[in-house]
Amino acid sequence: MVQSVAFLFLHKSKVLLSYRQTEHGMPVVFQIPQGEIEQRDRGHRHAGDDEHAMHRIIYEMFGGTVIPLQYELAGVFDDDPDRKVSLFFVYVWEGEHPLYEMKNGERIGRLRWFQVDDALVGSTNVLQREMLRLAKEKIRIRSVLLSRTYR
């Protein structure tokens, strides 16, 4: 079974997403950043496999410019029978997000903040829509707890 980690940085009513192109060069409106849990992520005492993978993937994709400080495991999703995806919400971080998401030193996507409602409207992927709906609910709850309304 393939295990992956996805993460959404949440800021007020926005989420950080990546514009990417498919292998055939067709544009993709956006994608939630994610990557697979690798063998080197397993067996660490201080963090679970998925948590360790989240830190590693963020470090690799953002070139070491962002360190998540406050986050939570928001849920685990069955993408298909052979794939599970752990979703993390990142609320507080240190550093600045780069303009591009990187993989092996190459730009693979343009990073951009989206209003969560706009991201939901533009999403065609069922799993991503489910993750974004969860993010929208978490933003609503946090705004109530912090006595702020984000629009």
Side-chain angles (χ1 to χ4, degrees), residues 2-140:
V2 176
Q3 293 179 297
S4 296
V5 171
F7 50 89
L8 282 170
F9 284 81
L10 305 180
H11 179 67
K12 296 184 180 179
S13 62
K14 296 182 178 181
V15 292
L16 186 67
L17 301 172
S18 175
Y19 276 107
R20 295 186 185 179
Q21 289 188 334
T22 64
E23 295 173 7
H24 307 297
M26 298 297 294
V28 173
V29 176
F30 63 80
Q31 184 170 9
I32 295 173
Q34 60 183 297
E36 289 185 7
I37 296 176
E38 297 177 357
Q39 188 58 39
R40 61 184 163 163
D41 298 317
R42 302 187 188 286
H44 296 275
R45 287 187 204 187
H46 66 280
D49 299 349
D50 51 1
E51 184 179 355
H52 191 273
M54 181 220 24
H55 281 278
R56 177 187 56 78
I57 293 164
I58 289 172
Y59 182 86
E60 290 173 357
M61 286 185 173
F62 295 166
T65 62
V66 177
I67 300 169
L69 300 175
Q70 183 184 2
Y71 53 87
E72 73 172 321
L73 177 62
V76 178
F77 300 85
D78 292 323
D79 193 12
D80 63 45
D82 295 326
R83 181 181 168 97
K84 288 195 184 286
V85 181
S86 298
L87 173 66
F88 284 89
F89 290 156
V90 182
Y91 306 112
V92 179
W93 55 90
E94 184 177 303
E96 295 291 322
H97 292 96
L99 292 176
Y100 295 95
E101 181 181 0
M102 306 294 280
K103 185 173 184 176
N104 300 325
E106 293 185 29
R107 294 177 180 174
I108 61 168
R110 171 84 163 83
L111 296 168
R112 180 176 165 213
W113 289 98
F114 284 85
Q115 291 288 336
V116 71
D117 286 330
D118 294 340
L120 272 165
V121 169
S123 176
T124 58
N125 180 289
V126 174
L127 179 60
Q128 285 193 43
R129 285 185 62 80
E130 190 174 339
M131 291 177 174
L132 289 166
R133 275 194 289 276
L134 188 59
K136 181 178 179 175
E137 180 62 15
K138 181 57 81 169
I139 288 168
R140 187 191 67 75

